[in-house]
Amino acid sequence: MQELLEKDDINSEELEILLEARDEGKVDFLLVDVREEMEYEMGHIKGVDMLKPTTAFQQWAQELFDETKEKKVIFTCRTGSRSGQVQHVFKQHGHTGVLNHFGGIVTYHGEIEK
């Protein structure tokens, strides 16, 4: 399980496995949705810990970076593009625990909340 959190990118199937393992207390990470609030309200992955819209990146990035330096963080969005961009910026600045949910919510078959 922990080896999945060592990857740069995870797919939707791997995210489902990780969310189930987190519910069972086997792994620890934050799942951050970087879509816009309107998109989030239309439906989001059950287990998302916080919404951090990409359009407001400048307002939240430094604080989240500082708070999560020692944690694993998985970024997700609609297709994996915006979350990949956020992951890239965090990695460029030295955050070693960030992952991208490749494919995003459009490829996710797990539970969706509204």
Side-chain angles (χ1 to χ4, degrees), residues 52-64:
K52 297 290 187 184
T54 311
T55 55
F57 183 77
Q58 296 298 327
Q59 283 81 51
W60 59 260
Q62 188 64 56
E63 183 179 358
L64 184 66

Side-chain angles (χ1 to χ4, degrees), residues 7-90:
K7 297 172 71 173
D8 282 335
D9 300 294
I10 58 166
N11 62 34
S12 290
E13 189 177 295
E14 292 167 327
L15 179 57
E16 282 187 70
I17 291 167
L18 284 169
L19 285 168
E20 188 175 313
R22 185 175 73 173
D23 287 346
E24 296 169 356
K26 295 177 181 173
V27 293
D28 187 34
F29 62 89
L30 285 176
L31 180 57
V32 179
D33 194 323
V34 298
R35 296 176 302 150
E36 299 307 307
E37 190 169 343
M38 179 190 73
E39 293 174 286
Y40 182 83
E41 289 173 1
M42 289 169 47
H44 56 272
I45 295 170
K46 183 178 181 188
V48 165
D49 296 298
M50 60 185 74
L51 173 67
K52 297 290 187 184
T54 311
T55 55
F57 183 77
Q58 296 298 327
Q59 283 81 51
W60 59 260
Q62 188 64 56
E63 183 179 358
L64 184 66
F65 183 93
D66 293 341
E67 289 175 357
T68 63
K69 271 187 177 172
E70 304 301 317
K71 295 181 181 177
K72 294 291 184 179
V73 181
I74 301 172
F75 292 111
T76 188
C77 65
R78 193 173 89 75
T79 64
S81 178
R82 286 175 281 181
S83 54
Q85 292 169 352
V86 171
Q87 175 206 30
H88 180 73
V89 172
F90 271 52

